[in-house]
């Protein structure tokens, strides 16, 4: 089973709508990262939220972290067509440096 | 800053042939990572170098796969006797010494016929 898992598996919204992707993880963490991967590109980091933080914002993005339930969420407000991508949560990156990714949530933003 | 460079972008090999994938990390980054991405398994960690030294190869298949970092400007992933199940996108990432963020290249899509 995956050590990190995003849900739902896929989402489709119209431009301007808000959307939330959820992540559950099974390891103890010092931080959790959200990455986005557009077609034909490698993943790119969106937000890093540390284990002592409950919320982190970056422009239209907002991440939350609940270490007691081992879950995180990424919300995007005022979505744009260019937000169409696969969104991953990733744990690790601490002493071991390697990142553990979930299978991702595919987000389609329609005009 | 050109970002992480990976070559080739696409490679097609016949079963049993060798494939060598190249990665040029971001200048000044001390850590280099290799991942493999498939639809079924998602993104899987393969191996990690720091200051050119191999640190963690826990994700590397025991046979046929090897990685090297002969200098700070490039790393290679070599797959000997490729098999159809090796077909995947191979991603290279680099990171600054203490930073958790990893910067990924565009990947090399390997297709083994």
């Amino acid at each position: 089973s995956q050590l990190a898992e995003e849900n739902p598996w896929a989402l489709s919204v119209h431009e301007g709508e808000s959307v939330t992707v959820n992540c559950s993880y099974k390891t103890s963490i010092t931080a959790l990262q959200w990455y986005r991967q557009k077609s034909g590109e490698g993943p790119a980091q969106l937000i890093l939220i540390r284990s002592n933080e409950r919320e982190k914002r970056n422009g239209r993005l907002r991440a939350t972290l609940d270490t007691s339930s081992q879950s995180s969420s990424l919300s995007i407000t005022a979505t744009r067509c260019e937000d169409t991508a696969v969104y991953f949560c990733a744990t690790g990156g601490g002493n071991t440096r390697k990142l553990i990714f979930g299978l991702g949530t595919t987000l389609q933003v329609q005009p | 800053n050109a970002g992480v460079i990976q070559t080739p972008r696409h490679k097609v090999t016949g079963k049993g042939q060798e494939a060598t994938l190249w990665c040029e990390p971001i200048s000044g980054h001390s850590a280099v990572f290799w991942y493999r991405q498939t639809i079924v398994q998602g993104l899987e960690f393969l191996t990690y170098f720091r200051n050119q030294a191999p640190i963690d190869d826990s994700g590397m298949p025991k046979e046929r796969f090897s990685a090297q970092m002969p200098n700070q400007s490039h790393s290679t992933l070599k797959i000997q006797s490729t098999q159809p199940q090796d077909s995947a996108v191979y991603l290279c990432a680099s990171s600054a010494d203490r930073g958790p963020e990893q910067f990924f290249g565009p990947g090399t899509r390997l297709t083994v016929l």
Side-chain angles (χ1 to χ4, degrees):
Chain A
S1 65
Q2 294 289 122
L3 295 178
E5 189 172 313
E6 300 85 354
N7 73 83
W9 182 73
L11 279 170
S12 181
V13 299
H14 290 96
E15 269 195 311
E17 294 179 338
S18 298
V19 68
T20 297
V21 178
N22 300 296
C23 167
S24 60
Y25 58 90
K26 297 180 180 179
T27 60
S28 63
I29 62 168
T30 56
L32 182 142
Q33 301 181 54
W34 283 94
Y35 282 78
R36 174 173 68 189
Q37 185 176 26
K38 296 186 177 183
S39 180
E41 300 179 5
Q45 191 205 60
L46 298 174
I47 284 183
L48 179 148
I49 183 166
R50 300 193 184 279
S51 58
N52 62 351
E53 297 176 308
R54 291 294 171 260
E55 179 179 303
K56 192 82 168 282
R57 292 178 184 268
N58 180 8
R60 296 182 294 112
L61 308 176
R62 172 178 172 263
T64 66
L65 180 65
D66 183 344
T67 54
S68 64
S69 64
Q70 296 189 306
S71 64
S72 176
S73 70
L74 176 72
S75 297
I76 309 172
T77 57
T79 53
R80 304 167 182 168
C81 288
E82 53 261 39
D83 295 327
T84 293
V86 181
Y87 290 78
F88 298 94
C89 61
T91 60
N95 288 338
T96 63
R97 301 301 301 273
K98 66 183 180 185
L99 293 177
I100 299 170
F101 291 84
L103 292 178
T105 290
T106 299
L107 172 65
Q108 176 79 39
V109 181
Q110 302 178 55
Chain B
N1 191 332
V4 175
I5 298 171
Q6 290 191 250
T7 54
R9 292 294 311 276
H10 303 273
K11 186 170 183 67
V12 180
T13 65
K15 183 178 175 180
Q17 293 184 327
E18 182 177 289
T20 299
L21 313 180
W22 294 70
C23 170
E24 181 178 329
I26 292 172
S27 177
H29 281 185
S30 60
V32 171
F33 305 82
W34 285 95
Y35 294 84
R36 176 170 62 181
Q37 185 173 30
T38 62
I39 296 294
V40 174
Q41 298 294 333
L43 271 156
E44 300 175 287
F45 167 81
L46 294 176
T47 189
Y48 152 49
F49 295 85
R50 183 169 179 264
N51 293 326
Q52 301 171 232
I55 302 297
D56 181 354
D57 67 353
S58 59
M60 290 281 274
K62 299 306 178 190
E63 297 179 349
R64 302 186 296 106
F65 282 66
S66 62
Q68 294 183 332
M69 191 162 184
N71 57 60
Q72 64 184 6
S73 63
H74 89 272
S75 175
T76 59
L77 179 68
K78 183 180 292 186
I79 309 172
Q80 295 178 311
S81 185
T82 54
Q83 303 297 310
Q85 61 265 29
D86 299 331
S87 296
V89 175
Y90 290 85
L91 291 157
C92 176
S94 70
S95 178
D97 193 34
R98 298 296 179 193
E101 180 179 5
Q102 294 182 17
F103 295 81
F104 284 81
T108 294
R109 180 175 294 278
L110 175 66
T111 301
V112 182
L113 302 176

